[in-house]
Amino acid sequence: MEFGRLSPKVKRDGSAANPQGDYTVIIEWSWRIENEESILCGSWSDEDNWKEIFQTLIGQTVQDISIYGRLPELSISFANGLYVASFMTAEGQPAWGIIDRSPQHQKCRCLGVRDGVIVEEF
């Protein structure tokens, strides 16, 4: 998911790629999108239903980003009452990252999980 100011990107072959935000959230493994009452879809749901729900996230304002669980998982709440949550279901570490490419930093920074704790890398 891309947040903030979007910048155009180009693939190696010269064709247009998806734009890149000031911030990128990557959830590599299991995830789900929820409302206040239920799970709307997740990484194991029928992919045919994803597009409609993904569309409801585009252009939404982020209300909150929080960490939950004994091993840190990520939850993002949006102004329209939807939530995106990570939740690793296999051995290892929670598999999410936040990449900060915002203009106020000279170097790209990344948050993720290693050995059960949140770490920052440059």
Side-chain angles (χ1 to χ4, degrees):
M1 293 179 286
E2 302 294 336
F3 299 96
R5 180 183 46 97
L6 296 178
S7 300
K9 287 298 189 191
V10 178
K11 295 179 185 177
R12 290 182 185 162
D13 67 3
S15 64
N18 290 328
Q20 196 171 62
D22 289 336
Y23 301 91
T24 301
V25 173
I26 299 167
I27 301 177
E28 188 175 332
W29 201 260
S30 293
W31 54 268
R32 67 187 189 204
I33 300 173
E34 314 165 345
N35 63 20
E36 292 292 338
E37 298 86 34
S38 64
I39 299 166
L40 302 176
C41 74
S43 50
W44 291 95
S45 299
D46 183 347
E47 292 181 29
D48 293 339
N49 299 326
W50 290 2
K51 185 176 181 178
E52 180 181 345
I53 296 169
F54 289 169
Q55 290 291 98
T56 64
L57 295 174
I58 294 172
Q60 289 298 312
T61 299
V62 173
Q63 295 289 97
D64 185 51
I65 297 178
S66 59
I67 304 298
Y68 70 97
R70 191 177 57 75
L71 295 173
E73 292 286 2
L74 186 67
S75 178
I76 304 170
S77 66
F78 293 88
N80 64 351
L82 297 183
Y83 303 82
V84 173
S86 71
F87 63 102
M88 175 53 92
T89 58
E91 62 280 343
Q93 299 293 304
W96 59 266
I98 300 174
I99 301 169
D100 177 356
R101 294 183 203 82
S102 57
Q104 65 262 32
H105 304 300
Q106 290 182 346
K107 289 185 174 181
C108 180
R109 303 179 327 166
C110 182
L111 292 178
V113 180
R114 186 179 307 135
D115 298 326
V117 297
I118 298 173
V119 294
E120 179 181 25
E121 298 176 352
F122 295 92

